[in-house]
Amino acid sequence: MTEPTDKTRASRRKFLVGAAGLAAVASRPALADPKNLPPNVADWTHTLGEAVGTHGYGSPSKYEKNVVRRTVSWLTATPESSVSFTPLHELDGIITPNGLCFERHHGGIAEIDPNDYRLMLHGLVDKPLVFTLEDLKRLPRVNRIHFLECAANSGMEWRGAQLNGCQYTHGMVHCVQYTGVPLKLLLEQAGVKANGKWIMAEGGDAAGMNRSIPMAKALDDCLVAYRMNGEMLRPEQGYPVRLVVPGWEGNVWVKWLRRLKVGDQPWYTREETGKYTDLLENGKARKFTFEMDPKSVITSPSPQAPLKRKGFTVISGLAWSGRGKVARVDVSLDGGRNWRTARIDGPVFDKACVRFYAEIEWNGEPLLLQSRAIDDTGYVQPSKNDLRKIRGVNSIYHNNGIQTWSLKADGEVENVEVG
Ligand code: MTE
Ligand code: CO
């Protein structure tokens, strides 16, 4: 039940049934122990609880052990160059807990001793610099909440509905608060030469992942970040330092950042030529598709979060845009024929996730659930078919098409497409 085993319909069905079965057991009130129910005094009131300080670093309740990142074993050739997915269907609000942020590594998780950590800044600058972690922490810092989405998020869905669960179809996204130094400040310290138009960011992991970033973006809102949600970055997220490139594809957010080189043109690295480009029908490929277009997904109900009862139901989901703020989210119950405006609740930040809700009365009728994001540039999230008209079906990256969930009379939910 933990992962969709392959792409056939039969096995998807098995996965679904498993997920629905588990949810039903967990929610059935009949399984409650009567001695713990009112008017009795429950077990946990009769004894002292664990001592303060038992858990130096706290963990979630043992009853929440299903709330974990998950991998799909057949998706990648090796576990070092692979991905784990955020359990979006188990979360609410806009902040992803650090331990649940999806991971994408090309050469495993680098283990870096912060004492040995150095960041080089060189190339077309007046004064090449090397920063220690302490140097970076001494500089003026800012706090910013941003989403990070891998360009390959929903990539499996280009040719049709594939994976049964928003964790797998949309779980290569997370949204946290970063603390770091504006990249602009480091560049000013080094003094960028007049012909310095691009920057190459390189990771210190075994993949040595590197990407070219235009100087205008580097000077705009990029951060050299060392904290997420208040604490130091997790090793999986690039400890001790990663690049934050708000609104742009996850691949350019170089982790375990070791080098920044200023140049007069892009480097055309492997990750921006052979990978992270989109092959069109005419055989040409789109290059430097940095910005992540508006996108949304209903996280509940969804295949891993089926409906347990009829009546008042809260539809909930996430929306984001790499172009600015999410201005509105619409929800459809009939596969996109009619739309209603969803309620965005909580803060709305630039290039960050927003949480939306739509409350309905569900009487057990089958529904085709969809959501679409509209950002403050006026961009409306397209249907998958409209996207295919422009981009063909050879793409992997940048699939921001509208997701459809088929809600059945029994409350189960399946990943489908509508014509
Ligand atoms: N940086 C390095 N050094 N090595 C990597 O493998 N993966 C990139 C990017 N930065 C990667 C990297 C990709 S493809 C993505 S989507 C994001 O990191 C994922 O960030 P996360 O693991 O914090 O979710
Ligand atoms: Co990626």
Side-chain angles (χ1 to χ4, degrees):
M1 122 83 203
T2 54
E3 68 170 66
T5 48
D6 71 24
K7 290 168 270 179
T8 67
R9 202 170 173 80
S11 67
R12 279 221 314 267
R13 192 113 286 286
K14 220 165 78 197
F15 169 64
L16 242 184
V17 169
L22 188 91
V25 170
S27 70
R28 205 179 303 149
L31 283 184
D33 188 340
K35 74 177 192 304
N36 286 327
L37 301 182
N40 297 329
V41 174
D43 282 348
W44 48 85
T45 312
H46 287 297
T47 53
L48 277 176
E50 277 185 324
V52 168
T54 303
H55 308 280
Y57 195 114
S59 318
S61 158
K62 67 179 182 186
Y63 300 105
E64 299 296 321
K65 62 178 183 300
N66 275 324
V67 184
V68 287
R69 298 188 279 227
R70 292 186 193 280
T71 56
V72 176
S73 55
W74 50 262
L75 210 55
T76 54
T78 69
E80 290 79 18
S81 179
S82 193
V83 58
S84 71
F85 298 91
T86 308
L88 297 177
H89 60 294
E90 298 278 11
L91 302 176
D92 216 322
I94 64 166
I95 298 294
T96 317
N98 287 347
L100 295 177
C101 287
F102 87 91
E103 315 152 77
R104 173 74 178 106
H105 321 307
H106 292 71
I109 303 164
E111 193 193 309
I112 298 179
D113 182 332
N115 289 319
D116 298 344
Y117 176 76
R118 297 293 182 275
L119 172 62
M120 284 188 277
L121 173 47
H122 67 139
L124 297 176
V125 293
D126 299 330
K127 193 168 52 147
L129 296 169
V130 175
F131 299 91
T132 66
L133 184 57
E134 287 310 310
D135 291 338
L136 294 174
K137 284 181 164 179
R138 251 199 320 270
L139 292 169
R141 55 191 177 271
V142 297
N143 298 299
R144 297 281 183 272
I145 295 178
H146 291 299
F147 79 84
L148 180 168
E149 183 185 17
C150 181
N153 200 21
S154 316
M156 290 296 294
E157 308 289 308
W158 260 110
R159 289 156 199 245
Q162 289 286 338
L163 299 172
N164 236 352
C166 64
Q167 178 163 20
Y168 305 107
T169 56
H170 290 73
M172 287 167 85
V173 67
H174 52 62
C175 184
V176 305
Q177 184 181 56
Y178 295 96
T179 305
V181 186
L183 177 53
K184 183 173 193 251
L185 213 138
L186 303 186
L187 290 169
E188 279 170 359
Q189 286 201 354
V192 175
K193 291 192 187 296
N195 56 343
K197 296 294 175 213
W198 286 79
I199 242 189
M200 191 261 281
E202 181 185 77
D205 54 336
M209 233 210 55
N210 58 350
R211 286 293 306 259
S212 310
I213 297 166
M215 185 58 71
K217 180 68 174 174
L219 294 174
D220 179 17
D221 56 0
C222 292
L223 303 180
V224 172
Y226 47 85
R227 290 184 184 277
M228 55 194 288
N229 292 334
E231 65 180 4
M232 286 299 286
L233 290 178
R234 293 285 172 94
E236 301 93 304
Q237 265 66 47
Y239 181 89
V241 174
R242 92 175 302 166
L243 197 61
V244 168
V245 190
W248 284 21
E249 62 184 16
N251 191 253
V252 299
W253 296 50
V254 173
K255 302 190 279 191
W256 311 289
L257 184 66
R258 80 177 280 269
R259 191 157 73 100
L260 293 165
K261 185 173 185 183
V262 178
D264 58 357
Q265 54 191 352
W267 278 258
Y268 296 111
T269 71
R270 171 186 180 272
E271 306 295 324
E272 56 206 22
T273 50
K275 306 283 174 186
Y276 299 97
T277 50
D278 310 315
L279 188 59
L280 301 174
E281 286 296 292
N282 63 7
K284 293 192 173 178
R286 302 199 302 164
K287 77 173 187 181
F288 294 132
T289 46
F290 291 124
E291 223 164 42
M292 298 307 291
D293 289 324
K295 188 163 168 179
S296 66
V297 65
I298 291 173
T299 53
S300 174
S302 62
Q304 296 159 289
L307 281 189
K308 293 164 194 163
R309 58 177 69 106
K310 294 175 190 170
F312 181 76
T313 302
V314 177
I315 295 172
S316 173
L318 280 175
W320 58 93
S321 170
R323 297 160 168 254
K325 287 193 169 94
V326 173
R328 198 179 94 208
V329 182
D330 293 338
V331 165
S332 174
L333 309 180
D334 55 9
R337 282 196 189 86
N338 297 286
W339 294 95
R340 64 178 74 185
T341 302
R343 180 169 62 84
I344 292 177
D345 188 82
V348 178
F349 296 112
D350 202 42
K351 298 160 190 160
C353 285
V354 302
R355 172 63 57 178
F356 67 85
Y357 300 107
E359 286 90 8
I360 63 162
E361 276 298 320
W362 183 59
N363 300 315
E365 68 278 23
L367 300 177
L368 289 170
L369 298 173
Q370 296 186 335
S371 64
R372 68 176 180 201
I374 298 133
D375 72 11
D376 60 3
T377 72
Y379 182 115
V380 182
Q381 186 185 351
S383 72
K384 285 170 78 173
N385 279 338
D386 282 349
L387 205 58
R388 288 185 188 114
K389 277 181 206 150
I390 303 164
R391 303 260 303 280
V393 291
N394 294 326
S395 283
I396 300 167
Y397 308 110
H398 296 276
N399 175 6
N400 70 323
I402 290 172
Q403 173 66 43
T404 311
W405 301 130
S406 165
L407 171 63
K408 313 283 174 55
D410 60 2
E412 284 191 18
V413 182
E414 193 177 359
N415 181 6
V416 299
E417 276 200 23
V418 289

